[in-house]
């Protein structure tokens, strides 16, 4: 993953006293821990009794875990801006905004004994490390997959994202119009840019997060065409699953989490990373600048890196652990073959979510994220 050129706001951190006083020791837990998390990330056996990495933590630490589920990165940023939370499982399109807004604090990795077990590709990743300061512990990573209904596609599974971007006739003889979904978040513009990187190389796109005005306009135009096909713009994983099961939706960008659950239910669902490649996410557990329960927060960050938790979460979510040993040490459900299937060896092929900024590495001047936000609202609204 190439190093990001970070926005002026973040660059201004250098030499301005960004670093706060870090904790030097972890004391007894305060009895409570409040986490903002993606769906499926913090499980206590309520969805499936086999997946529970909260109960034993609560018993051992005395920290009662409360989870506020967020369905988009923008929602996570808004919740952290409001405050009252200890931790957030932030993706790369949120983490730098949280650092820039001074909503999260640098962590003392010396207080996290399992830090040494973290994948070396993630330890100093640009989406949680600024000026040598770590602003969280890596949690999980993976691709955004193309999920599809096998009955609609028959013996011809999709090989391209064109089935969600352009009108085509599927193997069942019907058009895809009104049967596809798109992600309800500005970062979906990057999916359009990724598609154009492959099909319109003349645009010169080298990163789907670093777009000049011409490249950006091309991505928006592709999304305006997609709007004519979209059944629903989804952001709730469980509503998306319901739409696949009950509302005739047959193809959409999705997460392995939804694929795994529906396959477990016996639904005719499969997924693929198409020929154009995929965007993806590498999520970091970050600590609020005013975390009300910092000792519990540090205890959880250490707990989150346990290989048995990482292993089970990898199976549950269909993603990759931040601790490679979780694939092979037998402490959890995951296996080396399972991690390979989830794409452990494809790290360099994934275009990880990052926050688009005006000063960008590939071409000097790019369209910043605040424009992505307003313009994507316009696309969804038909403008």
């Amino acid at each position: 993953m190439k190093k990001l050129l970070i926005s002026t706001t973040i660059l201004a951190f250098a030499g301005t006293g960004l670093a706060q006083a870090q904790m030097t020791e972890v004391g007894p837990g305060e009895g409570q821990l409040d986490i903002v998390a993606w769906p499926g990330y913090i499980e206590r056996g309520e969805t499936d009794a086999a997946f529970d990495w909260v109960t034993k933590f609560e018993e051992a630490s005395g920290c009662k875990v409360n989870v506020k589920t967020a369905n988009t990165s923008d929602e996570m940023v808004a919740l952290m801006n409001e405050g009252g939370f200890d931790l957030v499982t932030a993706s790369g399109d949120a983490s730098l905004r949280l650092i820039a807004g001074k909503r999260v604090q640098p962590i003392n990795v010396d207080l996290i004994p399992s830090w040494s077990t973290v994948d070396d590709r993630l330890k100093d990743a640009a989406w949680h490390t600024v000026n040598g300061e770590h602003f969280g512990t890596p949690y999980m990573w993976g691709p955004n997959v193309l999920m599809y209904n096998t009955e609609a596609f028959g013996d011809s599974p999709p090989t391209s994202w064109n089935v969600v971007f352009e009108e085509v006739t599927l193997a069942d003889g019907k058009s895809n119009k009104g049967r596809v979904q798109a992600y309800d978040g500005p970062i979906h513009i990057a999916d359009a840019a990724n598609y154009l990187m492959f099909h319109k190389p003349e645009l010169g796109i080298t990163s789907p997060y670093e777009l000049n005005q011409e490249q950006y306009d091309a991505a928006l135009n592709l999304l305006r065409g997609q709007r004519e096909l979209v059944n629903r713009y989804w952001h709730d994983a469980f509503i998306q699953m319901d739409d696949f099961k009950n509302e005739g939706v047959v193809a959409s960008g999705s997460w392995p989490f939804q694929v795994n659950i529906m396959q477990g239910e016996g639904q005719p669902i499969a997924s693929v990373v198409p020929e154009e490649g995929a965007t993806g996410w590498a999520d970091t557990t970050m600590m609020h600048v005013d975390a009300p329960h910092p000792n519990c927060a540090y205890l959880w960050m250490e707990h989150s890196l346990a290989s048995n938790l990482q292993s089970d979460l990898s199976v549950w979510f269909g993603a990759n652990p931040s601790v490679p040993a979780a694939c092979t040490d037998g402490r959890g459900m995951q296996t080396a073959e399972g991690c390979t299937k989830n794409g452990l060896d494809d790290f360099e092929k994934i275009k990880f979510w990052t926050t688009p900024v005006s000063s960008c590495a590939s071409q000097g001047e790019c369209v910043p994220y605040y424009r992505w936000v307003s313009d994507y609202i316009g696309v969804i609204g038909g403008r």
Side-chain angles (χ1 to χ4, degrees), residues 1 127 141-142 209 278-282 347-348 350-354:
M1 180 61 54
W127 50 84
W141 63 272
Y209 310 100
T279 60
W281 34 269
F347 186 87
E348 298 299 334
I350 299 174
K351 304 172 184 74
F352 288 102
W353 281 354
T354 60

Side-chain angles (χ1 to χ4, degrees), residues 112-146:
I112 302 173
S114 296
W115 178 262
S116 61
T117 68
V118 171
D119 193 326
D120 287 336
R121 299 174 297 184
L122 297 172
K123 281 181 179 174
D124 300 314
W127 50 84
H128 69 79
T129 309
V130 175
N131 299 327
E133 292 273 22
H134 297 289
F135 284 81
T137 54
Y139 193 51
M140 189 70 31
W141 63 272
N144 294 312
V145 298
L146 173 58

Side-chain angles (χ1 to χ4, degrees), residues 76-150:
M76 286 187 170
V77 172
L79 288 168
M80 290 295 278
N81 284 339
E82 290 175 11
F85 297 97
D86 298 293
L87 297 170
V88 61
T89 59
S91 297
D93 60 328
S95 53
L96 289 178
R97 282 187 281 161
L98 291 170
I99 296 171
K102 301 183 180 181
R103 293 294 87 200
V104 292
Q105 60 179 281
I107 63 166
N108 185 348
V109 298
D110 292 336
L111 300 183
I112 302 173
S114 296
W115 178 262
S116 61
T117 68
V118 171
D119 193 326
D120 287 336
R121 299 174 297 184
L122 297 172
K123 281 181 179 174
D124 300 314
W127 50 84
H128 69 79
T129 309
V130 175
N131 299 327
E133 292 273 22
H134 297 289
F135 284 81
T137 54
Y139 193 51
M140 189 70 31
W141 63 272
N144 294 312
V145 298
L146 173 58
M147 181 168 68
Y148 65 95
N149 182 299
T150 56

Side-chain angles (χ1 to χ4, degrees), residues 18-309:
L18 167 67
Q20 298 154 298
Q22 291 182 337
M23 288 176 59
T24 57
E25 62 179 356
V26 179
E30 298 88 354
Q32 181 174 330
L33 180 65
D34 299 298
I35 308 175
V36 178
W38 290 104
Y41 260 20
I42 313 295
E43 290 292 311
R44 61 164 69 249
E46 294 173 334
T47 309
D48 186 321
F51 296 93
D52 180 358
W53 41 89
V54 172
T55 301
K56 289 184 179 179
F57 169 79
E58 291 179 330
E59 293 171 351
S61 67
C63 302
K64 170 67 175 176
V65 176
N66 303 304
V67 179
K68 171 68 175 178
T69 298
N71 293 300
T72 68
S73 290
D74 289 347
E75 186 177 347
M76 286 187 170
V77 172
L79 288 168
M80 290 295 278
N81 284 339
E82 290 175 11
F85 297 97
D86 298 293
L87 297 170
V88 61
T89 59
S91 297
D93 60 328
S95 53
L96 289 178
R97 282 187 281 161
L98 291 170
I99 296 171
K102 301 183 180 181
R103 293 294 87 200
V104 292
Q105 60 179 281
I107 63 166
N108 185 348
V109 298
D110 292 336
L111 300 183
I112 302 173
S114 296
W115 178 262
S116 61
T117 68
V118 171
D119 193 326
D120 287 336
R121 299 174 297 184
L122 297 172
K123 281 181 179 174
D124 300 314
W127 50 84
H128 69 79
T129 309
V130 175
N131 299 327
E133 292 273 22
H134 297 289
F135 284 81
T137 54
Y139 193 51
M140 189 70 31
W141 63 272
N144 294 312
V145 298
L146 173 58
M147 181 168 68
Y148 65 95
N149 182 299
T150 56
E151 294 177 347
F153 285 85
D155 296 329
S156 303
T159 59
S160 170
W161 288 103
N162 72 319
V163 297
V164 297
F165 282 120
E166 301 174 7
E167 185 172 6
V168 297
T169 300
L170 303 181
D172 63 3
K174 302 175 185 178
S175 169
N176 63 337
K177 188 172 184 179
R179 305 169 73 198
V180 303
Q181 290 184 335
Y183 187 55
D184 183 13
I187 204 66
H188 183 52
I189 295 173
D191 294 310
N194 179 63
Y195 183 75
L196 293 173
M197 283 178 67
F198 186 90
H199 293 282
K200 292 192 174 182
E202 65 272 17
L203 286 170
I205 299 173
T206 59
S207 166
Y209 310 100
E210 299 180 357
L211 306 176
N212 63 29
Q213 192 63 55
E214 179 187 7
Q215 297 162 345
Y216 182 73
D217 289 342
L220 289 184
N221 285 333
L222 179 63
L223 294 172
R224 292 185 180 107
Q226 182 188 49
R227 182 180 180 275
E228 302 303 314
L229 310 176
V230 168
N231 168 284
R232 185 198 299 271
Y233 288 92
W234 75 275
H235 61 263
D236 186 307
F238 290 92
I239 290 178
Q240 182 184 53
M241 289 186 282
D242 185 70
D243 286 346
F244 267 77
K245 290 183 283 189
N246 301 310
E247 300 299 328
V249 173
V250 299
S252 177
S254 189
W255 304 326
F257 173 66
Q258 291 95 300
V259 178
N260 280 0
I261 288 183
M262 285 196 287
Q263 287 180 339
E265 295 173 345
Q267 297 292 328
I269 294 296
S271 66
V272 65
V273 174
E275 61 183 353
E276 300 91 353
T279 60
W281 34 269
D283 295 344
T284 306
T285 303
M286 310 182 83
M287 186 173 172
H288 197 283
V289 65
D290 297 317
H293 313 107
N295 292 303
C296 284
Y298 265 93
L299 291 171
W300 176 267
M301 285 190 286
E302 168 62 18
H303 174 68
S304 74
L305 298 179
S307 68
N308 59 326
L309 183 158

